[in-house]
Amino acid sequence: MTIPTQRSRAEAPARSGRAASLAGLPSLTGLRFYAATAVFLYHVTSRQLSPFSGRTAQDAARLFGVAGGLGVSFFFILSGFILTWSARRTDTPGRFLRRRLVKLYPNHLVTFVAALVVFAGATTTSVRQWLPNLLLVQTWSWDPAVSFSVNAPSWSLGCELLFYLCFPLLLRAVKAISPERLWAWAVTFAAAVVAVPAFAYAVLPGEVRIPGWQAGEVQNWFVYQLPPVRMLEFVLGMLLARIVLTDRWVGVRLWQAVLLCGAGYAVALNVPYLYALSAVWVIPLGLLIPAAAVADVRGRRSPFRGRVMKWLGEVSFAFYLLQATVLIGGDKYLAGHAPYGVAEAVGLSLLAWALTTVLSYLLYTLVERPAMKHLSRPRRKDTAVAATEPTVSIR
């Protein structure tokens, strides 16, 4: 999505020349595709869909079993960061919600139908499963048959929908915080994210488990899917955006944040299951996203921007919504050909990744971009202002 940016001179970090041309934060656009690919790696190596077999399947599932949490946490923090960064001073809640709904629903409706055809059509899908998914309220149920129904990745859109509904009020509250206290609030919200798994382990029932999960059904839902809980990361992203905009960034460089994310991944492989869903990622990603933004604003080098990375980032939302359907469809089609050797399994995974990317481009080109162009166009009186503002691309 493209959203005009309007910031006061007091808030915007100084920039000139090449840095000014990077005000759209292309590094964050590029990073989106890495996050979407992390979710893909989680699904392609999962117990249900993995083309690998034997010990290799176990090793792959362990190595990439934490990648899904990484990708989802990135998107939630990024969403709060970018929406705050690009907030229009003259915007209204109605205009904002119109743009966000136009961003979410066209892709969601197309992938919802595709998932029904590929997956749900082969089984009985009741109205209590498909209707909540269609309305993006499925994530309020702790029953996996509902919360992961039809197109499973769309549960996160249910969280985003709540974020968008609350954003105008949240933005007013975040802007009311004095710059000197922003870091204290950010640390508080990060600590709350870390405390969520501890609460779930201590208080929530863990007896009923789903195969492949290392926690109870209710515990997993509370930590991973419950919208008010995931809103902690969204608000953290908002606070981090204000920290950068008010020139309170601590100076962590992009390469340092990338190394910290690598260390966080190693930690995630060795902590209790629920902590790897979000708690492990909050600090590394909470530094990576602002560091990438600062690198763009100040014109520093970044491996995450460029024509190819920008293109991949633009199609990442479609990629995220399509990847489970492609993998499930492939699994059904190839079910009679398993087991596969390592080389064959790697080749099939790469083929699925490439196919998902191609289909994502088609969905972005034929559905997402036209919808954004024609359904979220500013009113005539806003056109002159919007045309003079830089753009920010977000999921």
Side-chain angles (χ1 to χ4, degrees), residues 361-380:
Y361 170 72
L362 294 176
L363 182 60
Y364 171 74
T365 303
L366 300 178
V367 178
E368 182 179 340
R369 189 165 59 181
M372 292 302 303
K373 179 180 179 180
H374 297 295
L375 300 179
S376 65
R377 182 180 298 171
R379 296 177 180 177
R380 184 183 300 273

Side-chain angles (χ1 to χ4, degrees), residues 76 136-142 147 155-163 166 170 221-235:
F76 286 160
L136 294 180
V137 296
Q138 74 275 38
T139 192
W140 292 92
S141 172
W142 64 65
S147 61
W155 70 264
S156 65
L157 303 190
C159 292
E160 293 280 4
L161 184 60
L162 177 67
F163 302 165
C166 297
L170 291 173
W221 166 77
F222 180 83
V223 175
Y224 193 57
Q225 290 184 286
L226 184 59
V229 171
R230 300 315 297 257
M231 190 182 287
L232 295 171
E233 293 154 275
F234 178 79
V235 175

Side-chain angles (χ1 to χ4, degrees), residues 150-186:
V150 191
N151 187 26
S154 65
W155 70 264
S156 65
L157 303 190
C159 292
E160 293 280 4
L161 184 60
L162 177 67
F163 302 165
Y164 300 156
L165 290 172
C166 297
F167 179 74
L169 292 177
L170 291 173
L171 181 63
R172 183 180 302 178
V174 169
K175 281 191 171 183
I177 300 173
S178 64
E180 295 79 11
R181 298 179 62 85
L182 285 170
W183 270 112
W185 277 98

Side-chain angles (χ1 to χ4, degrees), residues 143-283:
D143 182 357
V146 176
S147 61
F148 290 112
S149 61
V150 191
N151 187 26
S154 65
W155 70 264
S156 65
L157 303 190
C159 292
E160 293 280 4
L161 184 60
L162 177 67
F163 302 165
Y164 300 156
L165 290 172
C166 297
F167 179 74
L169 292 177
L170 291 173
L171 181 63
R172 183 180 302 178
V174 169
K175 281 191 171 183
I177 300 173
S178 64
E180 295 79 11
R181 298 179 62 85
L182 285 170
W183 270 112
W185 277 98
V187 170
T188 299
F189 271 83
V193 175
V194 175
V196 166
F199 173 85
Y201 277 127
V203 175
L204 300 180
E207 295 79 15
V208 179
R209 298 196 175 193
I210 303 299
W213 294 1
Q214 301 173 41
E217 182 178 286
V218 175
Q219 292 173 330
N220 189 90
W221 166 77
F222 180 83
V223 175
Y224 193 57
Q225 290 184 286
L226 184 59
V229 171
R230 300 315 297 257
M231 190 182 287
L232 295 171
E233 293 154 275
F234 178 79
V235 175
L236 175 61
M238 296 180 66
L239 292 165
L240 292 169
R242 290 288 298 161
I243 285 170
V244 176
L245 288 170
T246 55
D247 201 22
R248 298 281 167 171
W249 183 236
V250 293
V252 174
R253 295 296 186 98
L254 180 55
W255 66 269
Q256 295 170 324
V258 170
L259 290 179
L260 184 60
C261 286
Y265 200 96
V267 171
L269 293 172
N270 295 282
V271 296
Y273 172 77
L274 291 179
Y275 287 94
L277 296 179
S278 57
V280 167
W281 309 115
V282 66
I283 293 177

